[in-house]
Amino acid sequence: MDATTSGTPTIQYHNIPDQPITAIVAASVPTFQRQVRHCFGDSSPGEFPLAANPSIFLHVLTTCNLDPQDLAKLEATCSFFRQPANFAPDYELSISELAAFDMCLKRAIFKPMTEEERQSLKQRCGGSWKLVLRFLLAGEACCRREKSHAIAGPGHSIAVTSKGVVYSFGSNSSGQLGHGSTEEEWRPRQIRSLHGIRIIQAAAGAGRTMLISDAGRVYAFGKDSFGEAEYGVQGTKLVTSPEPVESLKDIFVVQAAIGNFFTAVLSREGRVYTFSWGKDSKLGHQTEPTDVEPQPLLGALENIPVVQIAAGYCYLLCLACQPSGMSVYSVGCGLGGKLGHGSRTDEKYPRLIEQFQLLNLQPMVVAAGAWHAAVVGRDGRVCTWGWGRYGCLGHGNEECESVPKVVEALSKVKAVHVATGDYTTFVVSDDGDVYSFGCGESASLGHNAAAEGQGNRHANVLSPELVTSLKEVNERVVQISLTNSIYWNAHTFALTELGRLYAFGAGDKGQLGIELVNNQTERGNPERVDIDLN
């Protein structure tokens, strides 16, 4: 590439005095000769020889962890990245496709797949390794898969370290802490029986816990029922230590979500299965509430890969990944408009929420509260819908919204994460700031500017407000988890990028992981839990 085509400016020489040619010692100046760069293939002299060593470019693309969209743009702008690279395992693949495949191999859930399973996933995602990579990355981003995370369950809590070690604490009446007993724990305690098993995902429901290993196995303990018809209802027995769910042994599971009447799991191929609550075809199948066999979620999502599931009190949201982009489907009870279709009718099969297309919003994270839902878009906008009680939708009122509506009060905030509970919503921005709104019971919103024990920290908040108590921690928050149950007082966790966990809200059962004094039942200000999740 020469100077005239590369944009390099021509060097100008100024104020150099004229000298007689005889004053220059010619012998000391080597004769200048223009060197012609060696070229390869059909390249012309002066062109950058991309084809000289394709393996170098493959290495660069792979190690830079380029976004699948960037790889697609390379193919669109340069023929070198589109033509076959003649590399194993598929000599017909382009450099960009090979780079995407290599990055897929770095994913824990993809690496152990057989060649047949990989090809099946490729076709399910749209026939491209770039689309497979987008599917895998989307799942990791919205669920913190294979990263540290904390779950503020109904009365009990689960914390997973970056190495896959699990701690539990709080209420334990059903054995949901997994320690082999039914005694409460007021401090984080490691589940020793999981030694040698790396956990990548956790879910907590009323009296029940589910853990997912990097091998796709599901371990459950607490109530032995996948459906919880009402508070206090037990299964036929209590399971006080983690046990594999045998009915899921042939499904490689990557996520679980526990609703009030049902449980849902997501396979690594993006298929959704549900347990219980199928007697009236609420989830597209006919089963008894006590059924322990997983039933595939039929309908529109049978051939569309799903990257995230979120369970509310009586409904399920699915974040789907298609070649045309990301989309959200909902199924279950439609009361309050929480399914997002502009009505309050039930849906027996998953139905696409069309409002996001009208808003020109690409959903990236979904959250299903007990009675309302939220989404974060690729551009950082936040949408909420469903029951608006206590201001949990953040629109400045308590009105219901039957279709997703942008939270205008967050227009200057680029959100990356959202969490919902029982009439409560939290939003995390790209710079780590946290905003909350909705029901202020149990001081779970974190708005406690006054000294501990003073002021009205239980006030409801109708519009998003910065959680200044977390701002004062002076650490970047990466995840928020809050109790999503109508039967328990709420508590909240804030996880920082340093792996430090802060807790506030209800703590009467030890679910904060913090000892309370002077007959306290809650904490208004975030307090660090004595555990390092990194």
Side-chain angles (χ1 to χ4, degrees):
M1 186 181 295
D2 57 32
T4 60
T5 60
S6 67
T8 304
T10 304
I11 300 176
Q12 302 287 336
Y13 295 93
H14 301 283
N15 302 321
I16 300 179
D18 292 332
Q19 299 182 48
I21 192 66
T22 55
I24 301 175
V25 183
S28 64
V29 180
T31 303
F32 175 78
Q33 293 182 345
R34 181 181 178 88
Q35 298 293 325
V36 177
R37 184 182 291 129
H38 291 288
C39 301
F40 298 81
D42 298 327
S43 302
S44 302
E47 289 185 354
F48 188 73
L50 289 175
N53 198 335
S55 61
I56 294 178
F57 287 92
L58 178 59
H59 176 73
V60 170
L61 295 180
T62 302
T63 55
C64 286
N65 290 321
L66 290 182
D67 185 273
Q69 287 185 315
D70 294 328
L71 295 175
K73 290 176 182 178
L74 284 176
E75 287 188 343
T77 56
C78 182
S79 61
F80 169 76
F81 294 100
R82 293 195 300 270
Q83 61 193 21
N86 296 314
F87 279 133
D90 188 339
Y91 293 96
E92 296 300 315
L93 292 181
S94 67
I95 287 287
S96 295
E97 275 288 275
L98 280 170
F101 178 75
D102 283 353
M103 284 187 275
C104 288
L105 287 174
K106 295 180 180 180
R107 277 45 239 183
I109 67 172
F110 181 86
K111 192 174 183 179
M113 296 178 77
T114 65
E115 179 60 25
E116 182 179 354
E117 290 171 336
R118 291 173 180 175
Q119 291 298 328
S120 175
L121 178 61
K122 180 181 178 182
Q123 295 307 313
R124 183 171 170 80
C125 289
S128 163
W129 291 121
K130 293 186 291 296
L131 293 176
V132 174
L133 179 60
R134 187 183 70 165
F135 165 77
L136 295 173
L137 292 177
E140 292 175 6
C142 59
C143 301
R144 289 191 64 79
R145 191 183 301 155
E146 299 181 55
K147 295 181 180 179
S148 60
H149 58 281
I151 305 296
H156 76 288
S157 304
I158 304 294
V160 182
T161 73
S162 58
K163 296 181 180 179
V165 178
V166 182
Y167 293 81
S168 61
F169 43 101
S171 175
N172 196 29
S173 58
S174 300
Q176 62 264 42
L177 298 186
H179 300 305
S181 70
T182 56
E183 297 179 3
E184 292 179 357
E185 296 287 344
W186 283 72
R187 294 286 184 180
R189 179 181 173 187
Q190 183 179 344
I191 302 179
R192 298 290 180 182
S193 60
L194 292 170
H195 180 72
I197 300 174
R198 181 171 180 251
I199 299 300
I200 63 169
Q201 195 73 41
R208 184 170 178 79
T209 303
M210 298 180 75
L211 304 175
I212 300 167
S213 75
D214 60 353
R217 292 305 307 269
V218 179
Y219 299 83
F221 41 101
K223 295 179 183 178
D224 72 336
S225 170
F226 286 104
E228 302 157 9
E230 59 184 77
Y231 173 65
V233 171
Q234 305 283 2
T236 57
K237 65 176 182 177
L238 299 183
V239 180
T240 60
S241 295
E243 292 185 1
V245 179
E246 290 301 319
S247 60
L248 290 170
K249 64 182 180 180
D250 295 326
I251 301 174
F252 194 113
V253 176
V254 295
Q255 190 198 348
I258 302 176
N260 190 70
F261 299 100
F262 68 97
T263 297
V265 296
L266 177 66
S267 77
R268 67 177 170 185
E269 296 83 16
R271 292 186 173 89
V272 181
Y273 299 83
T274 61
F275 298 84
S276 189
W277 206 38
K279 189 173 183 180
D280 298 321
S281 295
K282 294 281 189 181
L283 297 175
H285 56 74
Q286 294 277 353
T287 58
E288 295 295 326
T290 56
D291 193 6
V292 296
E293 292 297 323
Q295 303 292 327
L297 189 60
L298 304 177
L301 291 175
E302 290 183 65
N303 297 309
I304 298 175
V306 173
V307 299
Q308 183 197 359
I309 53 177
Y313 183 78
C314 50
Y315 70 106
L316 180 70
L317 297 180
C318 301
L319 178 62
C321 183
Q322 299 170 266
S324 58
M326 307 294 288
S327 55
V328 180
Y329 290 75
S330 62
V331 60
C333 174
L335 287 177
K338 57 185 177 290
L339 295 185
H341 304 302
S343 68
R344 301 186 180 189
T345 58
D346 297 349
E347 295 291 341
K348 295 182 179 180
Y349 298 95
R351 179 181 172 186
L352 174 67
I353 299 179
E354 299 176 352
Q355 183 69 10
F356 295 116
Q357 296 175 349
L358 299 177
L359 294 173
N360 193 28
L361 184 144
Q362 280 274 324
M364 298 304 293
V365 180
V366 298
W371 303 104
H372 75 292
V375 153
V376 172
R378 180 184 292 275
D379 58 6
R381 285 183 292 169
V382 178
C383 289
T384 58
W385 67 98
W387 289 98
R389 194 177 182 186
Y390 304 121
C392 64
L393 300 184
H395 302 308
N397 55 48
E398 297 188 52
E399 300 296 322
C400 294
E401 298 290 342
S402 59
V403 294
K405 180 179 179 180
V406 175
V407 181
E408 296 297 340
L410 293 172
S411 60
K412 296 182 180 180
V413 175
K414 184 175 182 180
V416 294
H417 174 68
V418 64
T420 51
D422 183 23
Y423 297 120
T424 308
T425 307
F426 277 76
V427 173
V428 181
S429 71
D430 61 346
D431 57 6
D433 285 340
V434 179
Y435 300 80
S436 68
F437 42 100
C439 182
E441 274 187 25
S442 308
S444 61
L445 290 179
H447 300 304
N448 189 31
E452 184 72 22
Q454 300 178 11
N456 183 14
R457 65 183 184 226
H458 296 144
N460 300 325
V461 179
L462 302 184
S463 295
E465 289 186 9
L466 179 68
V467 183
T468 55
S469 58
L470 282 174
K471 186 78 170 178
E472 293 167 0
V473 169
N474 202 28
E475 294 182 38
R476 183 172 176 268
V477 174
V478 295
Q479 185 221 354
I480 290 286
S481 177
L482 63 153
T483 307
N484 190 14
S485 171
I486 66 174
Y487 300 118
W488 287 85
N489 290 330
H491 68 291
T492 304
F493 286 134
L495 177 65
T496 72
E497 62 182 348
L498 298 177
R500 294 170 182 164
L501 187 63
Y502 293 85
F504 51 97
D508 55 310
K509 294 294 184 180
Q511 62 265 50
L512 295 179
I514 300 166
E515 291 284 355
L516 299 180
V517 297
N518 299 326
N519 295 319
Q520 288 180 321
T521 59
E522 61 186 41
R523 286 284 300 176
N525 285 324
E527 184 170 333
R528 186 177 172 186
V529 183
D530 187 18
I531 184 175
D532 184 359
L533 297 187
N534 277 353

